[in-house]
Amino acid sequence: MTDVTTGGDDTARDGVPADATAAKGDKMISLEHVDKFFGGFQALTDINMNVGLQEVVVVIGPSGSGKSTLIRCVNRLEKHDSGRIVVDGVEMSDDLRSIQEIRKETGMVFQQFNLFPHMTVLENVTLGPRQVRRWNKAKADEVAMKMLERVRIPEQADKYPGQLSGGQQQRVAIARALAMQPKSMLFDEPTSALDPEMIKEVLDTMEDLAESGMTMVVVTHEMGFARAVADRVVFMADGQIVEVGTPEHFFTDPQEERTKLFLSQIL
Amino acid sequence: MSGGPTDVATLEPTSAPEPSPPPARRVTPREWVRENLFSTWYNSLLTVVFGALIVWVIFGVARFVFVTAQWEIVRVNLTNFMVGRLSRDLLPRVWGGVGVLALTIGLLTGLSPVSGGWRERVGNLRRAGPLVFLVVVFLSLAGTATPWFLTLGTVAVAVAGYGCARFLPAVIARRAGMVGVVGVIASYLVVSGGAGPSYAAFGGLLLTLFLALGGIVLSFPFGLLLGLGRRSTFPAVRVVCVGYIELIRGVPLITLLFMSGFALGFFLPPGMSRPELVTRALVALVLFTAAYVAEIVRGGLQGVPAGQTEAAQAIGLSPLRTTYLIVLPQALRNVIPALVGQFISLFKDTSLVTFLGLLELLGVAQVILEQPDFRGAGLQTETLMFASLIYWSWCYSMSRASQRLETRLGVGER
Ligand SMILES: Nc1ncnc2c1ncn2[C@@H]1O[C@H](COP(=O)(O)OP(=O)(O)O)[C@@H](O)[C@H]1O
Ligand SMILES: [Mg+2]
């Protein structure tokens, strides 16, 4: 199995939160020997992975290989059974405070958008900042509108999610996560539920985000996106990390048989 | 049509109108009857049979209402139907309470966010049609002019409330729900006179409304907690909630009512006097209804996708906020019809307190048969019919209000 660490940054200051002085490549998310079971079924086996500050990691792999489980462990939507998960210097434990601390700083975008249907777009985006960050309405609205402009749909602010197209909904979901001003973002197949003509608008938004320096972990099968944006690609199968490398490596020189087989199926 | 200059021009009109609705064919009543009622021989047969049945029933009821029935018993007991044995000195308070309610309704109507202006607002009021009908029946039975004046005054107060709504400060106007709650509580305080006569003296429709409204207001939060508790992550909480719900649902309401005196007695500290009969009845109604509300709420909770909770958690919302900001609003919206159905049941089930000797609406309808003037006159049909009319007009109004709530909350639903 390949050990997955960012180039030479293992010596970086452990446990020091990223701040203005942090340099690109400092450790943002790290998983050490993480195992996860669903009942008797082992969904993740000895996962070791580091994501550096401002790094974009794309996770690929066949359906059921544990990609969702992996990133859901990072913000405790799933509880890992053993190993260590450290996000921006905070170790994930059963302590609710550590969980809240990590969730506050980690945005997540789901395959099914999961917007709140009973709230307007603006209310969706301001909910976190107002309830969790405790900003007043004026500030939350201002930041929310900025984020909606960033995903290029400020004019939809007063609509309800049900009145938007899938692509627009997913961009609202991205804005909702960004409004919390997180330090990193997790994407779980953000374009898989979209009609083909809407995939591009979402990928473009994500690309902008990556260029702005956001730390991102993206589960996706969009190899074009991976090639354009990813610093590293992680290939998973059967709950294990099988191969890691640059996008170039995967396109030109995959090593493992399973990787080759998978790539031949999706490319 | 003269042929167009090109093929395209002539083709277009034939293809374009297709999706538009078919031209409204003028259907004469005669044609409508033939197509809908007499299209086949068996349809004709059904039409004749059921037509005859309907005519027969309407005729029978109309003859009873307008010819045979002796409404004197209802006429002289109107006040009893309204308030039972409540001291007549307190009637001004009751009217005061009605006035406060009218004011509240006027304010709420004025505050309700509708686009269509007063026309739509009045249209919404039409949903209270059954209650208006009830008032008209009452007034037509009342022998004196006083109720007319008081009713007119009440309507005037409602209109005034409607007119004043726009002058409310924005802080209040934004919280229409609070206005409603405060209005109902104020109305109750006016009727009961603060420390004055407690609800134990209520009777007739006043008692029915007190039990129904009190039952709804108390059983809803209780049932909500039970429903949430049934899905709690703490096994102890879950066991208690499931146990309670299944226990209550396995027992007839009437046994609960009979037991309420004893059971309550067990839990009270010794030496404390047993609560009023009305209190005990209310407690039984609340305990009973809450179990059903809990099950309805649970159904609603199950209908909210897990992704909603996950999205809220991912933002960092605490479990409590996730529940009341994200999950509950969606869960409750989905179960409004079932909830209102349960509350309509509760409204009618208040009649069972008659068996505890309380004189609510049905109790009044029973005891007035024993008045010297009417004893043995066989006027059950009259009193029961009148009581039924009152139950029906309230329950039907609730059902219509629920429909309105559904459409209003459905805004923006996918
Ligand atoms: N809540 C769960 N309960 C039981 N098994 C689960 C659960 N979630 C995921 N799994 C199983 O774990 C494995 C990995 O799932 P997942 O992480 O969703 O895969 P991927 O996202 O790569 O398609 C699958 O075999 C799946 O059936
Ligand atoms: Mg998945």
Side-chain angles (χ1 to χ4, degrees):
Chain A
M1 186 183 312
T2 330
D3 186 39
V4 193
T5 46
T6 33
D9 251 320
D10 260 357
T11 52
R13 304 153 298 170
D14 248 1
V16 176
D19 54 33
T21 62
K24 176 162 175 149
D26 278 5
K27 212 186 279 182
M28 191 67 194
I29 300 171
S30 96
L31 291 83
E32 292 168 24
H33 305 297
V34 170
D35 294 319
K36 166 72 190 168
F37 294 85
F38 289 111
F41 173 76
Q42 183 156 15
L44 295 179
T45 307
D46 194 29
I47 298 290
N48 293 281
M49 174 172 156
N50 285 331
V51 180
L53 184 68
Q54 304 198 336
E55 196 182 13
V56 177
V57 173
V58 164
V59 182
I60 59 174
S63 176
S65 57
K67 307 179 297 291
S68 298
T69 308
L70 171 69
I71 65 169
R72 287 160 60 87
C73 280
V74 172
N75 67 351
R76 203 31 108 84
L77 290 185
E78 303 289 354
K79 182 178 182 313
H80 62 289
D81 293 296
S82 59
R84 258 162 59 93
I85 297 178
V86 181
V87 180
D88 195 22
V90 180
E91 175 163 5
M92 179 71 77
S93 69
D94 287 342
D95 183 6
L96 198 61
R97 268 170 309 177
S98 79
I99 298 174
Q100 296 296 87
E101 192 54 38
I102 289 175
R103 284 178 177 166
K104 238 161 74 175
E105 306 297 342
T106 313
M108 185 159 195
V109 176
F110 300 84
Q111 183 175 352
Q112 300 295 342
F113 328 139
N114 293 348
L115 292 178
F116 307 126
H118 60 301
M119 297 179 174
T120 64
V121 164
L122 188 65
E123 287 165 347
N124 264 278
V125 179
T126 54
L127 181 75
R130 294 202 62 188
Q131 297 290 335
V132 181
R133 291 246 185 256
R134 297 251 154 231
W135 295 347
N136 62 31
K137 183 166 158 50
K139 178 169 181 196
D141 282 356
E142 190 195 321
V143 172
M145 285 314 293
K146 231 179 252 165
M147 293 309 158
L148 287 173
E149 269 155 34
R150 199 161 161 186
V151 300
R152 291 191 283 272
I153 36 174
E155 71 282 0
Q156 311 286 0
D158 294 324
K159 288 200 182 158
Y160 284 89
Q163 298 167 305
L164 305 184
S165 74
Q168 290 172 325
Q169 289 192 48
Q170 194 59 300
R171 284 185 283 150
V172 172
I174 294 174
R176 176 175 69 179
L178 288 178
M180 284 294 286
Q181 306 193 327
K183 292 180 177 151
S184 60
M185 290 273 286
L186 310 171
F187 294 82
D188 191 359
E189 304 205 30
T191 56
S192 297
L194 294 177
D195 293 337
E197 74 271 18
M198 295 171 185
I199 291 179
K200 188 172 178 308
E201 64 189 54
V202 171
L203 289 180
D204 285 349
T205 309
M206 291 166 60
E207 211 171 316
D208 290 349
L209 193 57
E211 268 160 30
S212 76
M214 177 61 77
T215 307
M216 294 164 60
V217 180
V218 185
V219 175
T220 185
H221 292 156
E222 297 290 337
M223 293 311 285
F225 174 83
R227 182 167 222 164
V229 178
D231 295 305
R232 277 183 306 148
V233 176
V234 172
F235 174 67
M236 286 184 73
D238 294 333
Q240 301 186 336
I241 292 180
V242 174
E243 190 164 352
V244 182
T246 61
E248 234 21 67
H249 164 87
F250 274 85
F251 279 107
T252 57
D253 185 28
Q255 295 298 305
E256 306 286 331
E257 274 316 307
R258 304 203 54 172
T259 318
K260 288 178 195 165
L261 181 65
F262 176 73
L263 289 173
S264 73
Q265 283 162 350
I266 66 161
L267 286 179
Chain B
M1 199 199 307
S2 63
T6 66
D7 278 350
V8 178
T10 51
L11 275 177
E12 218 139 63
T14 55
S15 57
E18 200 101 66
S20 68
R25 192 165 61 88
R26 280 185 59 85
V27 184
T28 65
R30 198 192 159 88
E31 278 168 345
W32 187 91
V33 165
R34 180 189 299 254
E35 277 171 27
N36 289 286
L37 299 179
F38 296 98
S39 53
T40 57
W41 69 265
Y42 50 85
N43 194 353
S44 308
L45 187 67
L46 285 176
T47 302
V48 169
V49 169
F50 279 93
L53 195 68
I54 291 169
V55 168
W56 183 66
V57 168
I58 290 180
F59 179 75
V61 170
R63 200 179 61 159
F64 176 80
V65 169
F66 294 109
V67 184
T68 335
Q70 296 168 17
W71 294 113
E72 192 58 21
I73 185 170
V74 172
R75 205 186 299 274
V76 302
N77 283 299
L78 265 190
T79 313
N80 281 329
F81 271 110
M82 290 288 89
V83 298
R85 290 193 179 126
L86 187 75
S87 159
R88 295 301 181 254
D89 298 339
L90 298 172
L91 281 185
R93 282 172 183 255
V94 176
W95 278 105
V98 172
V100 173
L101 269 191
L103 181 69
T104 311
I105 291 170
L107 283 174
L108 288 180
T109 313
L111 290 178
S112 71
V114 285
S115 44
W118 68 272
R119 222 173 259 281
E120 191 183 333
R121 288 171 205 268
V122 173
N124 285 335
L125 277 184
R126 270 215 321 262
R127 289 176 188 274
L131 287 179
V132 174
F133 175 66
L134 182 66
V135 170
V136 170
V137 169
F138 262 108
L139 291 179
S140 65
L141 285 169
T144 63
T146 324
W148 285 92
F149 286 126
L150 287 168
T151 304
L152 280 180
T154 308
V155 172
V157 168
V159 172
Y162 174 78
C164 291
R166 79 178 91 142
F167 298 116
L168 283 181
V171 197
I172 298 175
R174 245 184 285 120
R175 295 175 174 78
M178 286 302 289
V179 173
V181 172
V182 169
V184 169
I185 294 176
S187 157
Y188 170 74
L189 289 179
V190 168
V191 176
S192 71
S198 85
Y199 52 80
F202 288 3
L205 177 61
L206 183 61
L207 179 57
T208 297
L209 288 180
F210 173 79
L211 288 173
L213 203 62
I216 292 171
V217 168
L218 297 176
S219 68
F220 179 65
F222 184 31
L224 201 63
L225 289 179
L226 281 171
L228 288 170
R230 189 163 187 168
R231 289 174 30 125
S232 166
T233 44
F234 302 104
V237 175
R238 229 167 28 227
V239 166
V240 169
C241 291
V242 172
Y244 176 86
I245 293 168
E246 296 306 339
L247 188 72
I248 294 284
R249 293 206 311 157
V251 179
L253 172 57
I254 188 73
T255 48
L256 277 182
L257 279 168
F258 281 143
M259 280 198 317
S260 58
F262 307 107
L264 262 188
F266 285 137
F267 294 113
L268 292 177
M272 187 172 158
S273 63
R274 271 188 352 165
E276 302 277 7
L277 197 53
V278 176
T279 315
R280 285 183 267 146
L282 181 62
V283 167
L285 287 170
V286 168
L287 293 182
F288 181 80
T289 304
Y292 289 86
V293 169
E295 283 300 276
I296 293 171
V297 168
R298 184 169 70 107
L301 292 173
Q302 276 168 349
V304 180
Q308 290 290 310
T309 312
E310 291 176 355
Q313 287 174 335
I315 292 173
L317 240 54
S318 66
L320 193 65
R321 292 216 166 110
T322 302
T323 301
Y324 82 71
L325 291 174
I326 304 300
V327 179
L328 268 187
Q330 297 183 56
L332 292 182
R333 186 173 65 186
N334 291 340
V335 295
I336 291 171
L339 270 180
V340 175
Q342 192 59 47
F343 292 146
I344 288 175
S345 280
L346 170 64
F347 194 102
K348 291 178 294 184
D349 286 346
T350 58
S351 57
L352 291 173
V353 305
T354 303
F355 293 106
L356 295 181
L358 286 171
L359 284 187
E360 45 63 73
L361 201 47
L362 186 64
V364 170
Q366 292 294 313
V367 296
I368 57 176
L369 293 171
E370 298 303 316
Q371 287 169 339
D373 285 352
F374 305 109
R375 187 177 298 151
L379 296 175
Q380 283 93 339
T381 319
E382 280 84 349
T383 62
L384 286 178
M385 202 179 225
F386 187 66
S388 303
L389 171 73
I390 299 178
Y391 282 117
W392 172 82
S393 50
W394 281 93
C395 292
Y396 187 47
S397 299
M398 283 164 81
S399 156
R400 292 177 60 145
S402 132
Q403 286 165 13
R404 170 162 155 64
L405 201 61
E406 269 171 70
T407 38
R408 240 182 74 180
L409 295 183
V411 176
E413 206 177 9
R414 47 183 110 210

